[in-house]
Amino acid sequence: MSALESFACEPGALDLVWRDGSRSRLIAPWLRDHCQGAECRDPRSGQRLVDVAELPEDTRIVRAERLPDGELAVHFAPDGHRSVFGEDWLHANAFREEAGREDVDPNAAAARRPRLWDAATFAREGLVWTPWSEYLEDPSAKRRALAAVRDHGFALLSGVPPREGAVLEVARSFGFVRETNYGALFDVRAVIDPSNLAFTNLGLGPHTDNPYRDPVPTLQLLHCLENTAAGGESVLVDGFRVAERLREQAPDDFALLASQPVDFAYRDGRSAELRARFPLIELGAEGEPRAIRYNNRSIAPLRMPAERMERFYRAYRRLSRALDTPEGRLVFKMGPGDLVLFDNVRVLHARTRIESGGRRHLQGAYADRDGLLSTLRLLEAPGAAPGGQP
Ligand SMILES: [Fe+2]
């Protein structure tokens, strides 16, 4: 049975009443632009073939009629075009006045409403490690792991064979490796090499990687091949939670950090001269945190008027302290075969100090969220994967 109860039309708009009592008002240009006919859409991909600039400015509705098979035909002036819409298609895609949300894509909605966490969240819920063999064999295990990246900003895998390059197989299981000037993968070893602090045995404070890139890699994978060291534990911090608390507790500091761009830079003197300019907290169009870029090793000289610099340092110091608190730090030790996959513009990562007398070797790689979210949507589509729905 069609979801459509009744409709009424006037030249400017079509008013639809749905069986559940909700309503949609679809204006004439929207209907003309969303025509599903073969002249207007590629029949295979469904991609639009008509540019909005080609539509007449005075597009209006002449009449509309219901067809037998749950379809609605709309006739337009002045171009005489006729569009046929499936009523179910309209129900799925039209904005409903009562819903109060413009967003009907559940994945996009979830991505915009992250489940904020701190250390206590996982003390209660427990940390979930997905065995790699299960991830490979059971689509629902894979779906849960990828959904954790979307919702919590990270997922943990165990039993990934501790051999060189295995991290790339994991990245390719849901998306595409982001190759950079460091190569397809990079090694993080506990040996003294002063060219990069990540390669020494010092602790490393919470940071996001590569803020000097535009676009910045949105996912990072770290795979443990060896860890006999005492210390050298892994730390994750939910940067979005920290940002939201800052917004509540110090709105002026939050506003400054979200609006003042800073320069990030990386150069190795040979093959790379990377720069990007972004605020430490980047907001989306609806004011939601969209990306955290925080890495004091790669902030270039800060330049702004002295008065603003005073305020900036106050806010910057407050953010820095808020990012590194015992309540916010999720701490766990990685052993051979463990892998952490995380959202590099939401979740900050850190490492506790490595004590003497052991070795620690991780291999890392970058990837991007688009591939992961696409794979997740396919796994979540009803009937797409056996056992793919709870
Ligand atoms: Fe890092």
Side-chain angles (χ1 to χ4, degrees), residues 207 209 220 297 349:
H207 64 279
D209 267 23
Q220 181 171 175
R297 289 169 291 153
H349 60 291

Side-chain angles (χ1 to χ4, degrees), residues 252-329:
D252 293 347
D253 288 348
F254 176 87
L256 182 58
L257 295 173
S259 59
Q260 172 64 50
V262 302
D263 293 297
F264 295 95
Y266 172 87
R267 62 175 63 88
D268 65 7
R270 293 172 288 115
S271 60
E273 179 71 42
L274 293 158
R275 288 165 198 236
R277 182 171 166 82
F278 284 98
L280 298 179
I281 301 172
E282 185 187 347
L283 301 182
E286 295 177 323
E288 77 287 8
R290 194 182 143 69
I292 307 293
R293 289 178 181 77
Y294 186 87
N295 192 322
N296 64 349
R297 289 169 291 153
S298 50
I299 288 193
L302 291 164
R303 280 184 294 194
M304 61 190 91
E307 182 275 330
R308 200 187 318 152
M309 192 74 90
E310 291 278 4
R311 289 188 289 122
F312 183 83
Y313 266 92
R314 205 162 51 228
Y316 181 27
R317 189 183 287 118
R318 190 191 284 265
L319 174 66
S320 178
R321 288 182 178 152
L323 286 170
D324 201 4
T325 63
E327 310 86 74
R329 289 161 64 102

Side-chain angles (χ1 to χ4, degrees), residues 188-194 196 198-201 354 359-360:
V188 185
R189 289 175 198 272
V191 292
I192 305 295
D193 176 350
N196 187 321
F199 300 149
T200 75
N201 66 349
I354 294 167
R359 288 146 58 94
R360 184 174 184 268

Side-chain angles (χ1 to χ4, degrees), residues 1-9 13-26 64-66 71-72 87 90-91 94 96:
M1 185 166 57
S2 164
L4 184 64
E5 176 77 41
S6 63
F7 73 96
C9 94
L14 186 64
D15 285 295
L16 304 171
V17 180
W18 303 109
R19 260 181 225 289
D20 62 9
S22 63
R23 290 160 186 276
S24 299
R25 181 171 170 83
L26 300 175
E65 73 217 344
R66 283 184 98 162
E71 290 178 320
L72 197 63
E87 291 168 6
L90 286 171
H91 186 251
R96 263 165 283 163

Side-chain angles (χ1 to χ4, degrees), residues 11 34 67 80 93 156 158 182 223 228 261 271 282 295 311 315 355 385:
H34 286 75
L67 304 179
N93 291 286
L156 302 168
S158 60
Y182 303 130
H223 177 214
T228 57
S271 60
E282 185 187 347
N295 192 322
R311 289 188 289 122
E355 311 299 337

Side-chain angles (χ1 to χ4, degrees), residues 178 180 182 186-188 196 198-199 204-222 264-266 274 276 291-298 342-351 363-368:
R178 167 87 84 92
T180 70
Y182 303 130
F186 52 90
D187 287 280
V188 185
N196 187 321
F199 300 149
L204 206 53
H207 64 279
T208 64
D209 267 23
N210 293 201
Y212 40 76
R213 290 184 205 284
D214 178 16
V216 65
T218 46
L219 293 176
Q220 181 171 175
L221 301 90
L222 288 170
F264 295 95
Y266 172 87
L274 293 158
I292 307 293
R293 289 178 181 77
Y294 186 87
N295 192 322
N296 64 349
R297 289 169 291 153
S298 50
F342 58 95
D343 184 332
N344 183 53
V345 292
R346 170 179 171 187
V347 171
L348 292 87
H349 60 291
R351 185 190 71 208
Q363 280 195 325
Y366 300 117
D368 282 303

